[in-house]
Structure formats: C-alpha cells, structure tokens
Amino acid sequence: MIEEYKTQRLREVIPTTINKEIGCLKHMYTKALEWGYLKRNPAKEVKLLKQPPGRLRYLEREEINNLLDACAPHLRPIIVAGLNTGMRKGEILNLKWSDVDLKNRRITLTNTKNNEIRIIPINDTFYQELINLKDNSQGEYVFCNAKKKPFSDIKKAFVSALKRAGIKDFRFHDLRHTFGSHLVMKGVDLRTVQQLLGHKDIKMTMRYSHLSPGHLQEAVVKLDKL
C-alpha cells in the first residue's frame, strides 16, 4: 500500500516531498510500536526515493556588494550576519545578546535545528556590525524593531533589496550557501565548514567540494614525490 502511495504521489510532487512524508509515516509507526499499539512496523522496510542534489545558489563578490548597497538600514546587519556566520534565518532573527560574547568574539546557539549547541566565531566584519547595533540597542534581541521586539518577517524588505540589486533566483537560505561556498573556495577544509554550518552529516557539506580550488589535482600531485 505504501509503495502504491509512493508511485501515485510521484505524479504530483518531487521525491524530496515524498521522502519527508514517508519519514513522518515511519516515525508515527515507530511511536505506535513503542506505545504498544502495534506488534510490527509496516513501514520499516520501505525505501526512500533517490533525490536530486540539493540546490546550491550562492552570491559572487559583486552580487554581495550590490545586495548590501540595496538593503534597507534594518536589513543590512541581518544580511551581514547571514553572509559571515552561516546561521539560518530563524537563528539570526531570534539571536539574543545573551548568546553573543563580544569579548571572546563568539556566538553560542542552543536552539538549533539539530538540537545541538553550535559555537560560531565572529569575524571582524560582523563584529563591527554588532558593535554598532549594541551602541544603539537596549533590547534583549540583537535584531529588533523600535519596540525592541524581534523582526517577525523580513521577506518584503529582502525581496525589495534583491530587486534593487538586480539579483534573481535567490532565497534567504542561500546566504548560508554563500557562506559555505566562499569558505571552501578560500581553501577551508570541508570538516571545518561542516562544523560551522552545523551539518550532522558530512554528505550535506560535500555539495561544496567541487568549489575547492584544485582539490582533486592537489591530491594526486602528492604522489609525484614517490
């Protein structure tokens, strides 16, 4: 029955959506088994569909400058945060000053997607933004409005900035891809990028591997010494 559902559903949605639905179903059956409502999990042997590689859209240096120049004053520091920390939108908008250690230049995230604490170093670019925000803020949140409340939605301002900058096919989450992509292109190893992005599986980080300057060539050159 589940296999029939997969086949029928595949005519309507992409494999990624089906896999999410199957994953949810598997979890429901696991809980039902755990609570004694079932004796076996009928979804245990159901295999997930093969998914295409994840989307990887990132900004080039000129696009970054254009976007920052096009940002409204309240949006610019948020974009700088995304470009220099790789944090997710929710992590940025809910960031509190209590999470920020300016002295040691690091951010401690406790409420993450993977439910694991993540430490993010603060570079000079973002540090200066934080100093400016700190001097003009008395609220609990780093990014907040005049009422000291966190911004609940920045979509309109973000879309407007993209339009002014002439940037197409770009989402807020792609700031995270921009962060990871430029780290790899600067020669940062994938394990470090994985840690900074908070990827639980290195496969998520491997999508950036082709951006590493000559990473395959450098590998085989090491054999020349033989």
Side-chain angles (χ1 to χ4, degrees):
M1 183 182 296
I2 299 176
E3 292 296 338
E4 291 179 3
Y5 172 81
K6 285 166 58 180
T7 302
Q8 179 181 350
R9 207 54 184 124
L10 196 54
R11 303 191 189 105
E12 306 168 348
V13 297
I14 61 176
T16 303
T17 301
I18 298 174
N19 286 343
K20 288 180 180 179
E21 294 172 351
I22 298 301
C24 180
L25 184 64
K26 283 174 174 280
H27 181 69
M28 291 170 63
Y29 275 124
T30 298
K31 283 299 180 182
L33 188 67
E34 188 179 307
W35 295 335
Y37 292 107
L38 296 174
K39 293 184 178 180
R40 59 178 292 272
N41 184 346
K44 185 177 180 180
E45 303 301 324
V46 176
K47 295 183 179 180
L48 299 179
L49 297 171
K50 289 185 177 181
Q51 298 179 195
R55 181 178 187 274
L56 185 58
R57 166 73 163 100
Y58 63 90
L59 296 177
E60 299 289 352
R61 182 179 299 181
E62 184 178 353
E63 290 180 304
I64 291 174
N65 292 331
N66 291 341
L67 177 58
L68 291 174
D69 289 342
C71 284
H74 75 283
L75 179 64
R76 191 181 188 281
I78 295 174
I79 299 302
V80 172
L83 290 169
N84 290 275
T85 67
M87 289 192 291
R88 298 177 176 88
K89 182 167 70 171
E91 294 170 342
I92 294 173
L93 297 183
N94 292 299
L95 186 67
K96 297 180 179 180
W97 286 113
S98 57
D99 303 322
V100 180
D101 183 351
L102 288 173
K103 181 180 179 181
N104 295 302
R105 295 198 177 197
R106 66 185 183 187
I107 293 171
T108 303
L109 295 179
T110 54
N111 185 20
T112 65
K113 182 179 180 180
N114 295 327
N115 294 318
E116 295 180 354
I117 294 176
R118 189 159 96 251
I119 306 297
I120 300 176
I122 300 171
N123 63 10
D124 290 341
T125 301
F126 188 42
Y127 178 78
Q128 190 56 56
E129 290 289 341
L130 288 172
I131 291 297
N132 294 337
L133 288 170
K134 188 69 172 177
D135 290 341
N136 297 286
S137 173
Q138 297 178 350
E140 178 183 9
Y141 292 89
V142 175
F143 306 102
C144 59
N145 56 29
K147 296 181 180 179
K148 301 178 184 178
K149 299 292 183 181
F151 294 108
S152 58
D153 186 16
I154 58 169
K155 184 176 181 179
K156 185 177 180 180
F158 183 62
V159 170
S160 295
L162 290 175
K163 187 175 181 179
R164 286 192 293 270
I167 297 173
K168 299 179 179 179
D169 186 32
F170 195 80
R171 305 173 304 193
F172 191 94
H173 191 76
D174 294 329
L175 294 173
R176 185 168 157 84
H177 291 323
T178 301
F179 172 80
S181 297
H182 282 276
L183 284 178
V184 172
M185 287 188 287
K186 290 291 186 181
V188 178
D189 65 276
L190 292 176
R191 285 292 180 183
T192 300
V193 176
Q194 177 190 9
Q195 187 175 358
L196 289 169
L197 288 172
H199 287 159
K200 218 166 188 178
D201 192 337
I202 188 65
K203 291 179 182 178
M204 291 289 291
T205 320
M206 285 299 294
R207 72 176 77 179
Y208 302 103
S209 61
H210 71 284
L211 297 172
S212 179
H215 71 290
L216 295 179
Q217 182 66 30
E218 290 174 10
V220 296
V221 163
K222 295 181 185 298
L223 294 179
D224 286 336
K225 294 181 180 180
L226 291 176

